[in-house]
Amino acid sequence: MISTNPLAPLDDDKFHEECGVFGIFGSEDAAAMAALGLHALQHRGQESAGIVAYDGKHFNAHRDLGHVGDIFSSEEVMARLAGRAAIGHNRYSTTGETALRNVQPLFADLSLGGFALAHNGNLTNARHLRRQLVNQGAIFQSTSDTEAILHLIATSEAGSLIDRIIAALRQVEGAYSLVAMSSNCIFAVRDPMGVRPLVLGRLGNAYVVTSETCALDIIGAEFVRDIEAGELVVLDESGVHSLRPFPPAPRRPCIFEYIYFARPDSMMEGISIYETRKRIGAVLSEESGIDADVVIPVPDSGVPGAIGYSERSGIPFELGIIRNHYVGRTFIEPGQQIRNLGVKLKHNANRRYIEGKRVILVDDSIVRGTTSVKIVEMVRAAGATEVHMRIAAPPTTHSCFYGIDTPERSELLASSMDVEAMARHIGVDSLAFISIDGLYRAMGEPGRDAALPKFCDACFTGDYPIRLTDFEGHNEPAQLSLLAERA
Ligand code: AMP
């Protein structure tokens, strides 16, 4: 049910979060390929995953909470997912019974046949659409915004499935990379601004669509190209077909994918994520260099930035903090208490490289500041004489409504504090962030063109390129976030 509070999250299961999608058409081992692809995309969603495969007669699905490797480990499960076409999805969700009904891909028997749908992104008029659909008699099974797309397709008066998909998507606002499957093809669509990533690959005679190139690498597929902003691609027995069903819009891929979210070994829009992160570190060193003895990354996401910083500044790089890889990302754990504990579980000082040293700590971003406070405390306790923090992103001042999970604005440290106040809060001798122009330079641009920025950078600028229909009329939009603690 939609909350009667217009600012409350759309759902209690908090569906609006980061995800990975995968689709393959024309492979004998389609579901196994999808499972491998989802495994490579595990960083995009660690709490649930699902695959729907089509065996020529039936659609078979398996979805569960947990990690991809555990969900798709049994031969019995994989045997049930036979067929030459499959789509898959992984995501963050809350744990517990109720979350299962939201695990994607969603599936519906439409009047034109079976249809499965997986979505990465977040719709910004989902509540509005849902209200309309419910008034027309639609019965929602899940609390997800993705289900609204399914209903729009199901009830469309257009003739063919593809026309129905197009008609549905023309009513949708927000960021989406969708992968869908019918009995004879796979569809892949990127929203008109291309906020969330989506790429096309090839494996022999089979075609693959997925969130990141690292999911192509794992199955030995070759990268063909990025799906373009506003492009709808159809994969079927005759190959790849491309349509442009939306009015042209300026491309605005998400800049945060490059800073933090995507895997460093992925390429997006012809740009290497790892290279970009190193360049960000180099620009950071140019902009806010300081004399010190050692550059230490906050692992793992701060590592490429710290390498770039060290190379440019000539200050030695050391792994002065070691991360325990068997703990999930602290950021996604619900509740402040657990988040605090999580940081301690996750990181340990490599004392020998810290004691008696002036330390530059490099991290990719500060969100609430929880990680930074703990890390700085730890580095001081390990005997650092000075601690300087350098952040490979501008201050995060605004929430994301387009599919990256961020807390609501009031919880973002940079929304209420300037850099000096943040430095005091975190307990560092100095704190600096890369400038927004510096970030664009690291991305190969001359700077941020305020009239037509090349990326969606709303989290740093508040410049939201896609309408936030569900929040219009409210001064302070609420973040539709799984991070927000349940009331
Ligand atoms: P915080 O401790 O709240 O300041 O969060 C900052 C840390 O979380 C940084 O070390 C980032 O690597 C990581 N981070 C930033 N954004 C996200 C996100 N959307 N999801 C998960 N982790 C994030």
Side-chain angles (χ1 to χ4, degrees):
M1 287 242 321
I2 295 175
S3 165
T4 47
N5 173 357
L7 289 184
L10 178 69
D11 57 78
D12 284 343
D13 299 329
K14 306 187 187 83
F15 200 80
H16 311 267
E17 67 291 314
E18 306 143 338
C19 305
V21 290
F22 186 96
I24 183 163
F25 189 93
S27 162
E28 292 309 324
D29 299 313
M33 297 297 164
L36 287 166
L38 294 181
H39 177 66
L41 298 175
Q42 189 77 81
H43 61 289
R44 298 186 72 86
Q46 297 163 15
E47 291 196 9
S48 69
I51 292 176
V52 177
Y54 183 66
D55 64 9
K57 282 199 177 116
H58 303 107
F59 290 88
N60 296 294
H62 185 72
R63 311 175 186 88
D64 210 345
L65 304 174
H67 283 191
V68 174
D70 298 325
I71 298 173
F72 299 104
S73 58
S74 101
E75 277 178 32
E76 200 188 314
V77 165
M78 296 316 289
R80 266 204 304 114
L81 297 174
R84 297 179 65 246
I87 68 169
H89 184 268
N90 59 15
R91 72 178 188 106
Y92 290 146
S93 75
T94 52
T95 49
E97 265 304 300
T98 55
L100 244 185
R101 69 199 159 122
N102 282 334
V103 178
Q104 295 195 29
L106 302 181
F107 178 81
D109 268 315
L110 307 180
S111 58
L112 295 174
F115 185 73
L117 178 64
H119 171 207
N120 170 213
N122 187 41
L123 306 185
T124 50
N125 67 340
R127 220 177 300 171
H128 175 84
L129 289 173
R130 190 176 171 120
R131 216 171 278 136
Q132 273 180 358
L133 287 159
V134 169
N135 286 341
Q136 289 160 16
I139 302 165
F140 276 77
Q141 305 244 331
S142 78
T143 51
S144 91
D145 55 348
T146 311
E147 197 179 348
I149 304 176
L150 210 50
H151 281 285
L152 289 173
I153 296 170
T155 55
S156 165
E157 283 168 11
S160 67
L161 182 55
I162 192 141
D163 287 341
R164 288 186 182 199
I165 293 173
I166 293 169
L169 293 179
R170 285 193 179 140
Q171 297 174 64
V172 157
E173 294 165 10
Y176 53 86
S177 282
L178 300 175
V179 172
M181 180 172 66
S182 71
S183 58
N184 51 17
C185 60
I186 281 181
F187 305 90
V189 201
R190 214 169 155 195
D191 69 71
M193 293 197 163
V195 176
R196 301 261 69 84
L198 198 60
V199 297
L200 175 68
R202 187 176 184 152
L203 179 66
N205 293 327
Y207 280 97
V208 182
V209 280
T210 186
S211 300
E212 292 186 37
T213 58
C214 65
L216 299 178
D217 295 341
I218 193 173
I219 57 166
E222 116 200 38
F223 169 73
V224 176
R225 63 178 177 84
D226 289 275
I227 307 285
E228 288 173 28
E231 183 181 9
L232 192 167
V233 163
V234 183
L235 312 179
D236 64 15
E237 290 298 348
S238 62
V240 178
H241 313 272
S242 167
L243 284 89
R244 300 263 171 195
F246 310 112
R251 278 173 68 243
R252 297 288 288 275
C254 166
I255 207 159
F256 200 66
E257 292 274 355
Y258 295 87
I259 290 170
Y260 170 78
F261 200 49
R263 239 171 71 158
D265 51 341
S266 285
M267 297 280 297
M268 270 179 195
E269 316 276 346
I271 302 173
S272 149
I273 302 290
Y274 178 67
E275 276 294 319
T276 303
R277 289 182 189 164
K278 282 210 300 182
R279 277 201 304 271
I280 292 174
V283 173
L284 194 52
S285 147
E286 285 162 14
E287 287 187 344
S288 52
I290 191 156
D291 203 19
D293 303 311
V294 63
V295 176
I296 292 176
V298 178
D300 290 326
S301 47
V303 171
I307 293 173
Y309 193 104
S310 163
E311 281 178 2
R312 184 58 55 93
S313 63
I315 301 171
F317 169 98
E318 295 291 357
L319 292 178
I321 300 168
I322 301 302
R323 174 174 164 189
N324 182 330
H325 284 99
Y326 305 98
V327 188
R329 287 180 181 186
T330 50
F331 197 81
I332 62 161
E333 308 229 2
Q336 192 66 28
Q337 223 181 334
I338 295 182
R339 273 198 299 276
N340 288 343
L341 186 66
V343 175
K344 278 188 222 142
L345 289 172
K346 202 168 149 184
H347 295 115
N348 191 31
N350 197 358
R351 197 177 182 100
R352 226 182 121 224
Y353 293 90
I354 293 178
E355 201 162 12
K357 301 246 162 64
R358 294 168 301 163
V359 171
I360 297 177
L361 282 177
V362 179
D363 201 358
D364 64 283
S365 56
I366 291 181
V367 182
R368 292 187 180 87
T370 320
T371 309
S372 309
V373 168
K374 291 282 158 196
I375 291 281
V376 170
E377 217 174 80
M378 195 176 74
V379 169
R380 288 214 190 272
T385 54
E386 288 174 26
V387 183
H388 304 278
M389 189 122 196
R390 295 294 177 266
I391 303 297
T396 304
T397 50
H398 290 74
S399 301
C400 177
F401 294 90
Y402 305 136
I404 295 278
D405 197 15
T406 40
E408 47 181 270
R409 201 169 168 210
S410 56
E411 287 185 52
L412 299 172
L413 201 63
S415 75
S416 58
M417 289 185 197
D418 63 15
V419 176
E420 267 174 39
M422 279 193 271
R424 279 196 300 279
H425 177 84
I426 290 167
V428 284
D429 298 289
S430 79
L431 170 69
F433 294 78
I434 193 169
S435 68
I436 188 82
D437 279 320
L439 174 60
Y440 271 78
R441 282 203 303 283
M443 306 281 307
E445 299 293 321
R448 183 178 192 268
D449 176 353
L452 202 60
K454 289 270 168 56
F455 295 92
C456 175
D457 52 22
C459 49
F460 308 129
T461 60
D463 172 7
Y464 290 100
I466 304 172
R467 202 171 152 190
L468 303 176
T469 299
D470 282 340
F471 311 102
E472 273 162 15
H474 305 295
N475 297 334
E476 183 66 28
Q479 167 64 14
L480 304 176
S481 167
L482 78 126
L483 292 169
E485 293 185 33
R486 285 175 187 237

